[in-house]
Amino acid sequence: MSRALPKYNKRRVTFIGGAAAVALSGTVIAGFALAGETPDSGAKNARTLAGPGTISCPDVRSKLPAVPASAKAEVDRNLALLNTQIQEANKRLVDTVGQGGPNFVQNAILGPLKDKRVATVNRIATAIGRTAAKPQGLDSLATCALNAAGTNAGGGAAGKPQAGGNAGNAGNAGNAGNAGNAGNAGNAGNAGNAAAGTITCPDVRSKLPAVPASAKAEVDRNLTLLDTQLREANTRLVNTVGQGGPNFVQNAILGPLKDKRVATVNRIATAIGRTAAKPQGLDSLAACTLTK
């Protein structure tokens, strides 16, 4: 009996040791399996987080008529500016990934980009029109679109907010927006400041020369549009009090307002210039300021 006991114990120890070894091996294998999955999953999420999409715009150069030699330098300069505007918009798209509300990309990137392009293609048309037939309809090429890249940060379809992803993205595949139109930057980051202030702009009507009768209706229509643009900007200023960062008012209200005014005063100058001397320097009246 005394000799059998050690033998039994030995077998028991061997059995237990073997079972432990199997369990340990299973744990190690499982650990390696999980370790093999995690980096891949993380890399996928990293790729989706880094893919806010790309802004693309209609090509203007291919839609132009023959450009007179006298206008070539100005046209080329503005075509280059169109490319720069797209690059800047795409950079901002990347820089603002993960911010804000569902309408940010449209309101603060695509909308302002369209206004800039309207002003730029109007300058192109005006340059050509000085010595040749002025091209019509270039404004239709001003609107750009967001091409969503892959999936959203939560792994869902592009443009659909997903749990764990960039909620509030709504059409920007990872670029949610500017914290709900991020703050009244004319209030210099005073989020929650109830005093929005007032936007004021230089008066255009008083700076115009005598308006030919043939241009009066178009000029009056655009002067009214300037007033409407200003009212809309002041309404938005009030509606966005308490939101966002220190540059919001400049980037999303004053900047776009200036671009709209540039396009509008250019139309006024062009209308007058058809039958009289075209007024110069109206662009200098486009910039507006915030008065608190």
Side-chain angles (χ1 to χ4, degrees), residues 54-57 86 89-90 92-93 103-117 142-147 170-172 256 259:
T54 303
I55 293 170
S56 61
C57 305
I86 297 174
N90 274 310
R92 189 166 186 214
L93 192 66
N103 297 318
F104 171 72
V105 172
Q106 181 57 48
N107 291 342
I109 299 182
L110 291 179
L113 176 60
K114 177 181 178 180
D115 294 333
K116 291 177 182 179
R117 285 173 59 85
T143 302
C144 302
L146 176 69
N147 298 322
N172 180 25
D259 294 330

Side-chain angles (χ1 to χ4, degrees), residues 184 199 233 236-237 240 248-258:
N184 224 330
I199 294 172
R236 191 170 184 207
L237 189 67
T240 55
F248 172 72
V249 168
Q250 182 57 48
N251 292 341
I253 300 182
L254 290 179
L257 176 60
K258 178 181 177 181

Side-chain angles (χ1 to χ4, degrees), residues 50-287:
T54 303
I55 293 170
S56 61
C57 305
D59 181 55
V60 174
R61 186 185 296 271
S62 64
K63 302 299 190 296
L64 296 181
V67 178
S70 59
K72 189 174 186 306
E74 186 173 355
V75 169
D76 286 347
R77 183 168 62 251
N78 281 287
L79 287 171
L81 179 58
L82 289 172
N83 291 332
T84 299
Q85 291 165 352
I86 297 174
Q87 291 165 3
E88 291 172 346
N90 274 310
K91 181 178 185 301
R92 189 166 186 214
L93 192 66
V94 172
D95 290 345
T96 56
V97 165
Q99 298 179 22
N103 297 318
F104 171 72
V105 172
Q106 181 57 48
N107 291 342
I109 299 182
L110 291 179
L113 176 60
K114 177 181 178 180
D115 294 333
K116 291 177 182 179
R117 285 173 59 85
V118 166
T120 305
V121 298
N122 279 342
R123 288 195 293 271
I124 290 173
T126 299
I128 295 173
R130 291 191 185 104
T131 53
K134 182 178 179 181
Q136 303 297 316
L138 293 185
D139 284 6
S140 66
L141 305 174
T143 302
C144 302
L146 176 69
N147 298 322
T151 57
N152 201 354
K160 292 183 180 179
Q162 299 290 326
N166 268 337
N169 194 352
N172 180 25
N175 191 340
N178 190 18
N181 284 335
N184 224 330
N187 291 329
N190 291 329
N193 188 347
T198 303
I199 294 172
T200 57
C201 303
D203 180 55
V204 174
R205 186 185 297 271
S206 63
K207 302 298 189 297
L208 296 180
V211 178
S214 59
K216 188 175 186 305
E218 185 173 355
V219 169
D220 286 346
R221 182 168 63 250
N222 281 287
L223 287 171
T224 300
L225 180 58
L226 289 174
D227 293 337
T228 300
Q229 292 164 351
L230 179 56
R231 285 197 304 271
E232 290 173 346
N234 273 306
T235 297
R236 191 170 184 207
L237 189 67
V238 172
N239 291 342
T240 55
V241 165
Q243 298 179 21
N247 297 317
F248 172 72
V249 168
Q250 182 57 48
N251 292 341
I253 300 182
L254 290 179
L257 176 60
K258 178 181 177 181
D259 294 330
K260 291 176 183 178
R261 285 173 60 85
V262 166
T264 306
V265 297
N266 278 342
R267 288 194 294 269
I268 290 172
T270 299
I272 295 172
R274 291 192 186 104
T275 53
K278 182 178 179 179
Q280 303 297 315
L282 293 185
D283 284 5
S284 65
L285 306 175

